[in-house]
Amino acid sequence: MSSIKSALKAIGAAIQASRYDDATQQAQQLLAKDPQNYQANLFLGFALDKQAKLPEAQRAYDAAIKAKPDDAQAWQGLLKLFEKQGNNKVDEYYGAALNLAMIYGKNNDIYKCQDVVDKFIMFARSQGTRQQHKRSLEILLPASPVYPFLEGRIPHPSHTYQKIIDIVEIDEKERMNKVIGERRTRLGAKVNQVTLEVKREIFRDSPLESLYEQVIDWTTDDDLRRQYEEKLLRRCYDALVVLPATQKMEKSNKVEKLAGDMVIIKHPFQLAWDITLEWHDKPLLENMDVGILREYCLFFPHAGLARVLEGFMTSEISPFPLPPPVPQTAPQASNSDSGDEDEGGVDLNAPLTTEDRLLMMIDGMSDAPSSILAHRAMAEYYSFLDEHESVVELTRAGRQVVQQEVQKTGLPFKYALLSLSELLGTALVFYQSPKNHPEAKSLFNEVLSSNATSTAALLGIGLIHEEEEDYPAAIDFLDRARSRDANNVRIRAEAAWVKALNGDYERGQRDLEDCLEAIDGSDLRSRELRAQTHYRIGVCLWNIDTSIEARRDRTGAYAHFLAALKSNLNYAPAYTSLGIFYSDYTKDKKRARKCFQKAFELSAAEVEAAERLARAFADKGEWELVEVVARRVVESGKVGQSPVSKKKAVSWPFSALGVAELNKQDYAKSIVSFQSALRIAPNDYHSWVGLGESYHNSGRYIAATKAFVHAEKFEPDVEQGKSGDVWFGKYMLANVKRELGEYDTAIDGYRHVLQLRPDEVGVSIALTQTLVDCAWDSTSKSLFGQAAELADQAIRSAQGLLINYPNTFNVWKALGDACSVFSWIQGRVANFPHHILESVLTANDAQEAYNVVADIDVVSTDIFLAKGHHSAGEQEGLLLTRCLHAAILCQKQALRAAVHDIHGQAVAYYNLGWTEYRAHVCMSSSSQKNRTRYIKAALYCIKRAIELEAGNAEFWNALGVVASELSPKIAQHSFVRSLYLNERSAQTWTNLGSLCLLQNDYSLANEAFTRAQSTDPDFAHAWLGQGLVALLFGDPKEARLLFTHAMEISDSSSQLVRQQYASSIFDRSLNDTAESSLVDLIQPVLAMNQLSSLTPNDLSCQHLRSLFLERIEDTSAAVAALATICGKIEADYETTESTISLSRFALAKADHARTQLAIGEYEQAVESAETALELSAEDAGNELSSDARRQCRLSAHLTMSLALYHSDRIGSAVESLETAITEAQGNPDCICLLAQMLWATGDEISHVRARDLLFDCVEAHSGHVRSILSLGVIALVDGDTESLDAVTADLQSLRLNKDVVVEEHAMVAELLRAIAALSEDNPSRAALQEVQAEVFLFPNQPHGWTGLADLCGDDHAASMAVKTAIKSVPPRGTLEAVDLSRALAGTAKVVDVQQAIFLTPSSQHGWDALGRCVSRQESL
């Protein structure tokens, strides 16, 4: 024991000497002996603390405390140790400080106890977190174990609770913001939902409610208590809002109790009062505590609900008694501290006008959008004022507010929802009826399911059935409502009126008169009801006796209508009835109109008055007023039809609105209006016509057609009922057909209308224009005869119109266009009715119009007055000139007719300019002076049109076209200006490209044509222009493809397209080694035939046409065409002696001779060939090029030699042919022909010469097929084995030559088979080998298969021959019909043989095969 004491003294001495290491070592040695030694652990902890070995020191102190837990020294050391470690040991400090304070408290050392607590609180506040500070403050609360020792020395618990509340509020706010910010970034998260969930989590674990309650319980300050009561209520309400629906009941009860307590003590906290008023769900507003309502208005005068309640409680419909008068106070009372007047409160005793009250309530509603009570009060007041639209808007919003409050509070708000439903249903009965009746009925049924005796619901359903004309059902519901409220005069009057509407007018009259006695008329509502009752009695009297005398009786219904107006001057139905009385029975139209106008001004629901007004306005053409009336009726909602209503909807407002909008050219709206009318009245003929006209004017022609066709179904009803004419619908249908391009149908339609209405000038003009349009359409479709006939009809139709209407622009324009048609189809110019035009254009009053640009174009009526006989050529020119002059003169007359219309003048000048330019184009064969005058006149007219209307792109384009020949710069500027106004014009881009082409700017021309193609790919001339560019760049193949495409997409009136296309095809046929098939020449021939009809005097086109006719073996037509061409060229040469005409005549004669040879006119062919040879000689004075001269003379020589040969003048033929060979410089074809001709003479000398010619030809032209074939045939006939071997070798090489065409391949194969068949060594096998080789080399050609079938009789080979032949015929190949016929005949099948004969009846193969088939059948 003494050793322990001495050791402790040594440790103490070491500590006093600051030898902490020695003290630590000695203490540890001592503790090794006595681990529970309190003093040693205390010294060790102190020494370690001084050495900054804090964890070891804490363990030493803990050991000391464990040895003596009630000793303060170890706890003190531990606190000092914790203080040194700062915020790391705040939580451990809390336990140590609490234990130390308890030790001091138990030892009654209160000062040290308080000091420990104060130091800990200061340490936690400075070093710890807010949560640690909050925990430190909890030591000061009554629940703390040290509170009994320190009570009175520490702050009052209410203050401590306030500090803790501040800390908790700050923490919760920061936590809420942080968690919401984190969760809102999640995928699919919604801010509102995230906020609700976070609040729910935080409120669930929050101690704030209990803390607020502790402050309220402990504080002695009433103001502070009220403050925290407000916070508690707000907190509970917020928690209620975020709670799940299943947990809301308990919390809502608590919230309601807290709010009710505040209201009881009259604490002016608005949320508490709002909850008390809003949550006390009463069936009627009169069931509410009026005292609380007035106190609410007093406490919160600026609140929105207060202003609504104040207005409601001071209104006529307030169920509450007036407040007691405020006693008069002394004057000094004005200095009272009452805050109401200082804060601008409203004095409830001050009288309010109706306007001020309504404004105050509306202003209050804007500040109380979420108040159920405000919505109920305001809706009832609006209902009293019959502001049904406002009631509907307000109650719908109120029902949404109720649903929101149900979700937030969990309370049902049953009565509020029922009340709003009743008000909404009642308003919907009257607002936009009957559209809203289904919704109103649904609401009333919902109310009746909760309250089967609801008077408002029963009355509302009765009114709905009344409006729907379901009177028995209405009587049932109204009787039930009357039994519920027998003293309600309005219900009684309504029930009586429904009985009257049901047909029992007498009983209705009696009941209404009983009701009338009960209506005193003391207030506005009763006066309105009295006026309504008077009116309804009048209606009953009106229908009880329907005689004219009874209705004219001014003491009957008329008197009651007047009485209704005396009770209520603004009762609209009475004005309507009076209007009918004045209109139908007194014939006072002026008074009737005033009555109808007054009725409609008062109420848009007066449909009868509106209809009569609209008809009156329509009769006067006042369509703007018609539109106003019809639109107001439509917007009233009284004309629609309910799906469950028996009441017929009214269609006339929609029809009238459609007509008014049609007159305003607002076609989209008129379509909608007519469609609405037709939904109501699908059999309304006039609405269908109006709909069709609207579709037509808006460009929807297919829909317009359907509408007019549908309207035709109702024409018999219209004609039978005499409710209008049907001609206009037929006229509009014809207009639609015209727009769709169905001109024949349109013409028939116009003529049908004219049969019904022969004096309709507009229809006649439309017919004339359509005839012209159809003529142009026929021209584009190559129906030139029909086009001429239609143009003739148009001219005759215009003649009849101009007799009575000489100044009609459209007629003159149509007449001019009809004359222009003949200038486009010059082949029909002989059909031009110039005698009719002579009578029209030479009228006495028409001469002034011809003075326009007469000094430039020198066009007058003289051409029509010229008489005399003319040759055929002169007659054609005269007729063309007459037709062009007639067109010009008609356009001048159109210009005179448009003298008062600037736009019309511009169009007339534009039309005249184009007509002058057309004359310039057609008079290309005239003198330069005559042609120039037309183009100068055209230029003047187009410029004048631009002066009048400079923004028209078409005018600038026309100026560019006309100026292209005179001034390229002006033309370029014009085209650019036109494209500036309309860059989407493919025609203008093409014209610009053509101008560039004329100026040799090929690249820019190509760009312009490309732009035109991209703008409109179907514009043929753009492709034509690009083809010309390709041709100039030396690419004829590309040009031909472009010309072909242009031909495919162009119309038949495009002359240049057809000319270039045919020329390109002919050039290809000349350059190709293979002979063109018939299929390839069909389209060019058609194009040239069309061109021949358009320009019959174009000799170059006619010549090209004859060449195509020759190639398709239509030689008779070719001979006739060339004879005509030769005659015209000869006549021209005799007149002009032109060397060009001489050259043309020589070429035409050579071609003529060739065609004459083809038809067997040998003598004529010889004569024509001799003429061609004479005129094509170098010294004949022609202008033929060397190549053209060589081809012309070669053709003439060959023709003449063949003609002489067929005339049995073989010697002359040989001489002519030799001359041809000499001039053709050894042409191999000519040599072959000469050899054949020499061989045909039969003498040996000729045979030898023929062989020599062929050998020389083969030597000079090794690949010439016909020479080798001819030589092989001669060798085969002569049996010349040596020559046959050489020929066979050449034939074998030709078989593999890709330049040899199919027909030549067939001849080579046939000759090889013949050589093999005549060989000496096994000829059958040799022939078979040749056939097999042919099949192997050319399996896709029918010749080998046909030979194999003939040789072996193989059915499979014959079948393959047919299949390959079918695949080789045009357009997939060039196989001729005779080859296909031969393949079909080889199958020996009756069907195939018949087809073979049908294909080529002149071929012997088919007939022979048919004979074999017949023989085979007979043998069977």
Side-chain angles (χ1 to χ4, degrees):
M1 188 69 178
S2 58
S3 62
I4 294 175
K5 290 183 178 181
S6 60
L8 290 174
K9 287 182 180 180
I11 296 170
I15 291 174
Q16 289 179 356
S18 300
R19 292 183 285 109
Y20 300 117
D21 292 339
D22 296 341
T24 301
Q25 186 176 6
Q26 294 173 12
Q28 289 175 346
Q29 291 174 358
L30 179 59
L31 288 172
K33 298 176 182 179
D34 186 6
Q36 300 297 325
N37 191 294
Y38 172 76
Q39 197 64 36
N41 281 309
L42 195 61
F43 284 149
L44 178 60
F46 184 79
L48 291 171
D49 183 13
K50 291 298 183 179
Q51 291 177 315
K53 297 179 180 180
L54 302 183
E56 293 85 347
Q58 183 176 351
R59 286 194 293 272
Y61 282 133
D62 288 339
I65 291 171
K66 187 176 182 181
K68 286 186 178 182
D70 295 332
D71 188 82
Q73 290 184 6
W75 291 106
Q76 289 175 346
L78 193 60
L79 290 181
K80 291 179 181 179
L81 190 67
F82 290 157
E83 288 176 357
K84 289 181 180 180
Q85 298 184 54
N87 56 7
N88 293 328
K89 295 297 181 178
V90 175
D91 293 333
E92 297 181 22
Y93 197 139
Y94 172 80
L98 184 60
N99 285 317
L100 182 59
M102 288 293 296
I103 293 172
Y104 286 141
K106 290 178 181 179
N107 294 332
N108 204 23
D109 194 350
I110 304 303
Y111 292 103
K112 290 184 178 180
C113 178
Q114 183 178 359
D115 183 61
V116 170
V117 171
D118 291 343
K119 285 183 178 179
F120 168 63
I121 293 174
M122 292 179 62
F123 178 77
R125 182 174 58 197
S126 61
Q127 298 296 329
T129 62
R130 278 198 293 266
Q131 286 296 327
Q132 291 170 337
H133 183 212
K134 167 181 168 291
R135 188 180 180 193
S136 70
L137 291 175
E138 290 175 354
I139 295 179
L140 305 178
L141 296 176
S144 173
V146 301
Y147 182 79
F149 305 116
L150 301 178
E151 186 177 6
R153 292 177 173 273
I154 58 177
H156 192 271
S158 63
H159 297 291
T160 306
Y161 278 119
Q162 291 179 59
K163 292 181 180 180
I164 294 174
I165 287 171
D166 292 339
I167 294 173
V168 173
E169 288 178 344
I170 293 173
D171 278 348
E172 287 187 357
K173 183 177 181 181
E174 290 182 354
R175 179 187 170 195
M176 188 177 300
N177 293 335
K178 179 182 178 181
V179 176
I180 291 174
E182 292 174 351
R183 294 187 183 179
R184 67 183 297 181
T185 58
R186 295 176 181 174
L187 188 64
K190 297 181 179 179
V191 178
N192 294 337
Q193 186 64 27
V194 169
T195 304
L196 182 68
E197 293 175 355
V198 173
K199 283 186 176 181
R200 185 181 299 165
E201 294 174 4
I202 292 176
F203 289 174
R204 181 183 58 204
D205 303 329
S206 174
L208 274 180
E209 287 190 25
S210 61
L211 291 174
Y212 290 151
E213 291 172 351
Q214 292 296 333
V215 173
I216 294 169
D217 293 341
W218 281 98
T219 186
T220 58
D221 186 349
D222 289 341
D223 292 337
L224 185 63
R225 181 180 291 109
R226 300 291 175 264
Q227 178 184 347
Y228 277 89
E229 285 176 349
E230 293 176 1
K231 284 192 172 186
L232 177 60
L233 178 58
R234 175 66 66 183
R235 182 67 175 192
C236 291
Y237 180 78
D238 292 342
L240 172 66
V241 171
V242 300
L243 279 175
T246 57
Q247 302 175 15
K248 288 181 180 290
M249 184 57 66
E250 182 181 354
K251 185 65 72 173
S252 64
N253 292 334
K254 181 178 180 180
V255 171
E256 190 171 6
K257 183 179 182 305
L258 291 172
D261 293 344
M262 287 188 180
V263 171
I264 290 173
I265 64 175
K266 294 181 173 51
H267 176 57
F269 180 49
Q270 187 173 347
L271 177 60
W273 288 82
D274 285 341
I275 291 173
T276 300
L277 292 178
E278 301 284 355
W279 289 16
H280 286 181
D281 189 23
K282 302 294 183 181
L284 300 173
L285 294 181
E286 62 188 31
N287 300 135
M288 300 191 71
D289 189 340
V290 65
I292 294 178
L293 296 177
R294 286 176 178 152
E295 288 172 354
Y296 181 88
C297 296
L298 181 64
F299 286 139
F300 315 105
H302 298 295
L305 177 59
R307 281 175 282 176
V308 174
L309 289 175
E310 183 179 350
F312 180 75
M313 290 189 294
T314 58
S315 67
E316 304 92 321
I317 62 170
S318 173
F320 306 113
L322 294 175
V326 178
Q328 296 293 328
T329 59
Q332 61 269 21
S334 61
N335 296 325
S336 173
D337 294 334
S338 174
D340 286 346
E341 295 193 8
D342 294 340
E343 298 177 5
V346 180
D347 184 7
L348 293 178
N349 296 314
L352 286 173
T353 63
T354 303
E355 293 78 7
D356 292 339
R357 181 182 298 108
L358 184 59
L359 288 174
M360 181 177 67
M361 294 178 73
I362 292 173
D363 189 35
M365 274 306 305
S366 64
D367 293 336
S370 60
S371 171
I372 298 175
L373 183 58
H375 280 86
R376 289 182 66 180
M378 192 71 192
E380 289 198 9
Y381 190 65
Y382 272 142
S383 182
F384 166 73
L385 297 177
D386 289 336
E387 293 290 337
H388 303 301
E389 182 177 0
S390 300
V391 174
V392 170
E393 294 176 358
L394 194 67
T395 49
R396 282 177 174 165
R399 284 166 59 86
Q400 293 179 359
V401 170
V402 170
Q403 296 298 331
Q404 294 171 3
E405 289 298 317
V406 169
Q407 292 179 358
K408 288 196 298 183
T409 64
L411 300 175
F413 293 103
K414 173 183 175 182
Y415 294 117
L417 190 60
L418 288 177
S419 176
L420 290 172
S421 297
E422 288 179 350
L423 291 169
L424 176 58
T426 303
L428 289 174
V429 172
F430 302 99
Y431 176 62
Q432 291 187 351
S433 63
K435 183 179 73 174
N436 294 319
H437 283 178
E439 182 182 356
K441 189 179 292 186
S442 175
L443 289 169
F444 288 139
N445 289 330
E446 179 183 333
V447 172
L448 290 175
S449 64
S450 300
N451 182 11
T453 60
S454 172
T455 303
L458 293 171
L459 177 60
I461 295 179
L463 292 175
I464 291 173
H465 285 300
E466 175 187 337
E467 184 70 21
E468 294 174 353
E469 297 184 359
D470 188 359
Y471 301 124
I475 293 171
D476 177 51
F477 279 96
L478 289 173
D479 285 343
R480 289 164 59 187
R482 186 177 60 178
S483 63
R484 278 281 301 159
D485 191 358
N487 296 325
N488 192 321
V489 180
R490 182 170 180 268
I491 297 176
R492 290 167 52 197
E494 203 65 44
W497 174 240
V498 173
K499 293 173 184 176
L501 292 176
N502 197 33
D504 193 354
Y505 291 106
E506 295 179 355
R507 183 179 177 184
Q509 177 192 356
R510 291 195 302 270
D511 292 346
L512 286 169
E513 289 174 347
D514 293 339
C515 295
L516 189 62
E517 296 176 356
I519 303 173
D520 56 1
S522 58
D523 57 4
L524 178 62
R525 297 300 292 268
S526 63
R527 287 195 297 272
E528 291 179 353
L529 182 57
R530 187 176 182 85
Q532 184 186 63
T533 306
H534 269 298
Y535 165 74
R536 290 177 173 179
I537 293 173
V539 172
C540 291
L541 293 173
W542 186 270
N543 289 283
I544 289 173
D545 189 353
T546 59
S547 63
I548 297 177
E549 293 77 10
R551 289 189 171 182
R552 285 180 177 175
D553 186 6
R554 294 181 179 265
T555 61
Y558 174 80
H560 282 281
F561 296 148
L562 287 180
L565 294 178
K566 290 178 181 178
S567 297
N568 182 7
L569 196 59
N570 295 326
Y571 190 66
Y575 284 106
T576 302
S577 297
L578 285 175
I580 295 173
F581 174 82
Y582 289 128
S583 175
D584 297 346
Y585 296 97
T586 65
K587 306 303 179 183
D588 192 343
K589 300 298 182 183
K590 185 176 182 181
R591 281 190 177 182
R593 181 170 178 176
K594 288 183 178 179
C595 289
F596 291 138
Q597 192 165 350
K598 182 65 175 178
F600 187 64
E601 288 175 357
L602 292 172
S603 174
E606 293 302 309
V607 180
E608 178 69 21
E611 182 178 5
R612 294 189 178 235
L613 267 182
R615 291 186 183 278
F617 291 141
D619 292 340
K620 294 182 178 180
E622 299 175 352
W623 291 107
E624 293 182 357
L625 296 178
V626 172
E627 181 183 6
V628 170
V629 172
R631 191 175 300 281
R632 188 169 176 224
V633 173
V634 171
E635 291 174 353
S636 71
K638 292 292 183 181
V639 295
Q641 185 171 14
S642 174
V644 297
S645 176
K646 297 180 181 179
K647 184 178 180 180
K648 292 183 179 179
V650 181
S651 65
W652 71 261
F654 296 102
S655 299
L657 199 58
V659 173
E661 290 163 342
L662 194 60
N663 287 330
K664 289 170 57 179
Q665 298 182 357
D666 194 349
Y667 304 123
K669 291 183 178 179
S670 67
I671 289 172
V672 174
S673 298
F674 284 123
Q675 287 176 339
S676 300
L678 289 169
R679 290 190 191 99
I680 298 172
N683 296 337
D684 186 1
Y685 169 80
H686 299 288
S687 294
W688 280 110
V689 172
L691 179 62
E693 186 176 1
S694 301
Y695 279 135
H696 168 265
N697 293 340
S698 60
R700 299 168 62 180
Y701 301 121
I702 301 299
T705 302
K706 293 180 180 179
F708 287 125
V709 170
H710 202 82
E712 288 181 342
K713 299 178 182 178
F714 310 111
E715 287 181 357
D717 298 336
V718 176
E719 294 173 348
Q720 184 176 1
K722 297 182 179 180
S723 58
D725 294 328
V726 298
W727 70 270
F728 184 74
K730 296 181 180 296
Y731 166 69
M732 288 304 302
L733 179 58
N735 286 341
V736 173
K737 295 297 183 181
R738 175 186 174 187
E739 296 292 345
L740 290 173
E742 300 178 16
Y743 298 111
D744 294 335
T745 307
I747 291 171
D748 293 339
Y750 289 133
R751 286 173 175 165
H752 187 196
V753 173
L754 288 174
Q755 290 177 359
L756 301 174
R757 306 273 294 196
D759 297 331
E760 285 294 336
V761 182
V763 180
S764 299
I765 295 174
L767 174 60
T768 305
Q769 293 174 325
T770 308
L771 287 169
V772 175
D773 293 340
C774 189
W776 287 116
D777 183 66
S778 300
T779 302
S780 67
K781 294 178 179 177
S782 190
L783 303 174
F784 303 123
Q786 179 177 323
E789 182 181 352
L790 289 167
D792 181 81
Q793 294 178 18
I795 292 172
R796 297 178 188 277
S797 177
Q799 178 193 21
L801 283 169
L802 291 173
I803 295 173
N804 297 319
Y805 306 97
N807 295 321
T808 306
F809 170 80
N810 289 334
V811 178
W812 283 111
K813 179 185 179 299
L815 184 58
D817 292 342
C819 295
S820 297
V821 170
F822 287 96
S823 70
W824 285 90
I825 47 174
Q826 297 176 15
R828 302 284 177 168
V829 74
N831 299 334
F832 179 65
H834 62 277
H835 299 293
I836 297 176
L837 269 300
E838 179 180 350
S839 62
V840 173
L841 296 175
T842 57
N844 295 330
D845 58 346
Q847 299 301 322
E848 296 180 2
Y850 306 146
N851 295 330
V852 179
V853 297
D855 55 336
I856 302 176
D857 62 4
V858 197
V859 174
S860 65
T861 58
D862 295 342
I863 192 70
F864 291 96
L865 301 177
K867 305 296 182 181
H869 298 284
H870 306 278
S871 63
E874 293 176 345
Q875 186 66 24
E876 290 182 2
L878 178 62
L879 289 175
L880 180 60
T881 304
R882 282 178 174 174
C883 117
L884 291 169
H885 282 203
I888 293 172
L889 295 175
C890 290
Q891 298 297 350
K892 290 183 178 182
Q893 286 284 4
L895 178 61
R896 186 189 70 164
V899 67
H900 300 296
D901 182 5
I902 298 298
H903 174 69
Q905 286 187 51
V907 174
Y909 271 114
Y910 171 75
N911 295 333
L912 179 57
W914 270 128
T915 309
E916 297 276 7
Y917 185 74
R918 179 61 186 167
H920 164 74
V921 172
C922 292
M923 296 298 182
S924 57
S925 60
S926 303
S927 64
Q928 183 66 25
K929 180 178 180 181
N930 291 339
R931 295 181 67 239
T932 305
R933 73 187 191 192
Y934 293 122
I935 198 169
K936 287 183 178 180
L939 188 64
Y940 172 83
C941 293
I942 298 297
K943 286 182 177 180
R944 183 68 181 128
I946 292 175
E947 290 176 2
L948 295 172
E949 191 174 333
N952 194 312
E954 294 293 331
F955 293 178
W956 286 102
N957 175 57
L959 180 61
V961 173
V962 172
S964 296
E965 295 183 26
L966 301 178
S967 176
K969 291 183 178 180
I970 294 177
Q972 181 184 13
H973 170 75
S974 301
F975 290 139
V976 172
R977 182 65 180 173
S978 177
L979 290 172
Y980 172 77
L981 295 171
N982 179 20
E983 64 175 355
R984 302 293 298 170
S985 174
Q987 185 180 31
T988 308
W989 281 110
T990 304
N991 291 336
L992 179 60
S994 302
L995 179 65
C996 296
L997 205 60
L998 293 173
Q999 301 303 314
N1000 299 322
D1001 192 347
Y1002 303 145
S1003 60
L1004 187 58
N1006 188 54
E1007 292 180 8
F1009 290 135
T1010 303
R1011 183 64 182 271
Q1013 291 170 7
S1014 63
T1015 302
D1016 184 4
D1018 293 330
F1019 189 65
H1021 288 84
W1023 298 93
L1024 174 67
Q1026 203 166 38
L1028 294 173
V1029 172
L1031 203 59
L1032 292 171
F1033 276 114
D1035 191 352
K1037 182 178 180 180
E1038 178 68 16
R1040 184 173 64 254
L1041 293 175
L1042 291 168
F1043 292 150
T1044 302
H1045 182 67
M1047 175 68 185
E1048 291 172 351
I1049 63 176
S1050 67
D1051 55 47
S1052 299
S1053 61
S1054 180
Q1055 301 175 13
L1056 187 58
V1057 171
R1058 273 145 183 75
Q1059 184 177 354
Q1060 291 298 325
Y1061 167 72
S1063 298
S1064 65
I1065 297 298
F1066 190 79
D1067 292 340
R1068 184 190 66 173
S1069 66
L1070 290 179
N1071 297 326
D1072 287 352
T1073 57
E1075 185 178 354
S1076 299
S1077 67
L1078 183 64
V1079 176
D1080 296 334
L1081 300 178
I1082 290 176
Q1083 193 168 2
V1085 170
L1086 292 176
M1088 295 310 299
N1089 287 337
Q1090 294 170 357
L1091 199 58
S1092 176
S1093 297
L1094 294 173
T1095 56
N1097 296 322
D1098 189 343
L1099 298 182
S1100 60
C1101 293
Q1102 295 294 335
H1103 196 169
L1104 182 61
R1105 172 174 171 266
S1106 66
L1107 296 178
F1108 275 112
L1109 291 173
E1110 180 186 5
R1111 285 179 174 256
I1112 65 173
E1113 298 181 5
D1114 190 359
T1115 50
S1116 299
V1119 168
L1122 286 168
T1124 303
I1125 293 170
C1126 291
K1128 291 183 178 180
I1129 296 176
E1130 185 177 7
D1132 181 69
Y1133 178 74
E1134 291 176 354
T1135 304
T1136 62
E1137 295 185 355
S1138 169
T1139 57
I1140 297 177
S1141 297
L1142 182 63
S1143 302
R1144 288 179 177 177
F1145 186 71
L1147 294 173
K1149 270 297 181 181
D1151 295 335
H1152 192 206
R1154 191 171 57 253
T1155 56
Q1156 287 173 332
L1157 172 65
I1159 63 174
E1161 297 179 355
Y1162 303 124
E1163 295 298 331
Q1164 293 86 342
V1166 171
E1167 182 180 352
S1168 297
E1170 289 177 348
T1171 304
L1173 289 172
E1174 291 176 3
L1175 296 178
S1176 61
E1178 293 184 2
D1179 57 353
N1182 58 67
E1183 294 185 358
L1184 291 173
S1185 64
S1186 58
D1187 188 42
R1189 179 180 293 106
R1190 181 178 59 81
Q1191 292 180 0
C1192 176
R1193 293 184 65 80
L1194 177 61
S1195 174
H1197 278 301
L1198 291 174
T1199 302
M1200 187 168 65
S1201 63
L1202 289 173
L1204 291 170
Y1205 175 78
H1206 288 290
S1207 301
D1208 296 330
R1209 291 185 282 175
I1210 298 177
S1212 300
V1214 170
E1215 292 177 4
S1216 178
L1217 196 54
E1218 288 176 344
T1219 306
I1221 292 173
T1222 303
E1223 293 187 4
Q1225 299 176 355
N1227 186 289
D1229 291 326
C1230 294
I1231 294 174
C1232 285
L1233 181 60
L1234 178 59
Q1236 292 172 3
M1237 195 176 293
L1238 289 172
W1239 186 267
T1241 58
D1243 59 89
E1244 186 61 29
I1245 298 174
S1246 300
H1247 288 183
V1248 172
R1249 188 181 177 193
R1251 290 191 193 95
D1252 294 339
L1253 287 172
L1254 290 174
F1255 276 118
D1256 294 339
C1257 182
V1258 170
E1259 184 177 356
H1261 306 280
S1262 58
H1264 192 253
V1265 179
R1266 294 186 182 275
S1267 298
I1268 298 173
L1269 289 173
S1270 299
L1271 193 59
V1273 170
I1274 291 174
L1276 188 63
V1277 172
D1278 291 343
D1280 188 352
T1281 308
E1282 183 180 354
S1283 298
L1284 279 177
D1285 293 339
V1287 170
T1288 301
D1290 290 340
L1291 291 175
Q1292 292 292 350
S1293 64
L1294 287 176
R1295 172 185 280 179
L1296 301 177
N1297 191 343
K1298 63 180 181 180
D1299 294 331
V1300 178
V1301 298
V1302 176
E1303 292 80 1
E1304 292 176 342
H1305 267 301
M1307 289 187 289
V1308 169
E1310 187 174 358
L1311 182 58
L1312 286 172
R1313 286 198 303 271
I1315 294 172
L1318 296 177
S1319 63
E1320 296 178 356
D1321 188 13
N1322 197 353
S1324 301
R1325 182 178 179 183
L1328 180 61
Q1329 288 177 349
E1330 288 297 333
V1331 172
Q1332 290 174 339
E1334 180 71 14
V1335 171
F1336 178 78
L1337 291 173
F1338 306 103
N1340 61 326
Q1341 296 296 332
H1343 306 98
W1345 294 105
T1346 302
L1348 184 61
D1350 293 342
L1351 191 63
C1352 302
D1354 188 356
D1355 294 339
H1356 176 71
S1359 177
M1360 287 300 298
V1362 172
K1363 292 180 180 179
T1364 54
I1366 291 174
K1367 291 183 178 181
S1368 300
V1369 296
R1372 288 178 288 183
T1374 58
L1375 193 71
E1376 297 292 340
V1378 65
D1379 297 313
L1380 177 60
S1381 174
R1382 181 179 178 185
L1384 289 168
T1387 62
K1389 296 178 181 179
V1390 176
V1391 175
D1392 293 340
V1393 170
Q1394 289 175 339
Q1395 291 181 6
I1397 295 174
F1398 177 78
L1399 286 172
T1400 55
S1402 61
S1403 175
Q1404 186 177 354
H1405 302 287
W1407 294 106
D1408 291 342
L1410 182 61
R1412 289 193 295 271
C1413 290
V1414 172
S1415 299
R1416 188 169 57 250
Q1417 291 293 330
E1418 290 178 351
S1419 64
L1420 293 176

